[in-house]
Amino acid sequence: MASTPTTTARPVSAWPKDALRISFGIIWLIDAILKWLPGFRSDYMSMIMGAGQGQPGWLHWWFSFWTNLQHSEVMFFAYMVAILETLIAVAVILGFARKVTYISAVAFSVLIWATAEGFGGPYTSGSADIGTAVIYAVVFAGLLALSYYSGPARYSADYYLEKKISWWWRLAEMRRPVPGLPATAAPVPGPTAAISPVSVPQPRTAETAKPAEPAGRHSA
């Protein structure tokens, strides 16, 4: 009878998830660099005001609030957007305070989508997409979920800061890392064990019964 194949543990490589984070951080950094160009600052207010055009009447108060808030300090808010995007990009690339960075980036992306991109609308017959900022928010939420299941990122600043600062995991991880916990391992089929011969028991034969002695032969 053949024995059950054995399995061995193979550690899952850490670099793919870090490569995903760094790649997205570079994309975000390119977007942040564009925010430092003069054209963004000069068109900033017109972009905010244009986002409210054609929107449903029940949303007019929302766009009026943001227009009135930023109208007197256009340069301040334009520079603030550029600074925030740059900080997020650098933090994502370096893997610095990942939990705080991802949550902040989700909130910031949703805010951009709800103001400058006008919720991706107005949704008319000519609408082609729902905006890019909401997609950024989904990606950041995915990175946050990935960090929950995969734990500390080997190629990140958090990995080294957590060794030096005991409470840093609160800013970097979704849950407290377990010291000495081995890396997640994937089962790999091992070589099949050698088949050993199985002995087949021989059938047992009935013993030949002895004939009974006549009663008369026994002495009294």
Side-chain angles (χ1 to χ4, degrees):
M1 181 177 61
S3 61
T4 304
T6 59
T7 59
T8 57
R10 180 181 64 187
V12 177
S13 178
W15 70 264
K17 64 177 182 179
D18 293 316
L20 175 64
R21 185 197 78 241
I22 295 172
S23 299
F24 186 67
I26 293 174
I27 294 174
W28 190 268
L29 180 61
I30 295 173
D31 187 73
I33 292 174
L34 296 177
K35 298 298 189 295
W36 290 100
L37 300 180
F40 172 74
R41 295 190 296 274
S42 60
D43 296 336
Y44 179 80
M45 201 63 230
S46 60
M47 178 176 54
I48 297 297
M49 297 174 64
Q53 297 179 0
Q55 297 288 350
W58 56 275
L59 281 176
H60 285 174
W61 69 271
W62 171 260
F63 293 101
S64 297
F65 168 77
W66 288 103
T67 299
N68 297 333
L69 177 66
Q70 302 178 75
H71 194 273
S72 59
E73 299 290 343
V74 178
M75 290 296 103
F76 169 77
F77 284 99
Y79 276 115
M80 186 174 66
V81 170
I83 292 172
L84 288 176
E85 288 201 9
T86 303
L87 291 176
I88 291 174
V90 174
V92 171
I93 293 173
L94 298 180
F96 180 82
R98 287 171 296 123
K99 183 177 75 172
V100 174
T101 299
Y102 295 155
I103 294 176
S104 301
V106 169
F108 180 74
S109 299
V110 171
L111 181 61
I112 294 297
W113 178 67
T115 54
E117 293 188 357
F119 295 100
Y123 295 103
T124 60
S125 58
S127 299
D129 59 70
I130 62 172
T132 57
V134 68
I135 299 176
Y136 288 158
V138 172
V139 175
F140 279 118
L143 290 174
L144 186 65
L146 182 61
S147 67
Y148 174 82
Y149 287 103
S150 61
R154 176 66 177 81
Y155 303 102
S156 67
D158 290 335
Y159 183 81
Y160 300 96
L161 290 172
E162 289 176 25
K163 295 181 178 180
K164 302 293 184 181
I165 307 175
S166 59
W167 50 263
W168 188 260
W169 67 270
R170 300 179 185 274
L171 306 178
E173 309 296 342
M174 291 295 294
R175 53 184 175 178
R176 186 167 191 167
V178 179
L181 185 66
T184 305
V188 179
T192 305
I195 301 175
S196 57
V198 179
S199 59
V200 179
Q202 298 296 329
R204 300 179 61 183
T205 58
E207 297 180 355
T208 306
K210 296 182 179 180
E213 296 181 358
R217 297 180 59 181
H218 292 280
S219 57

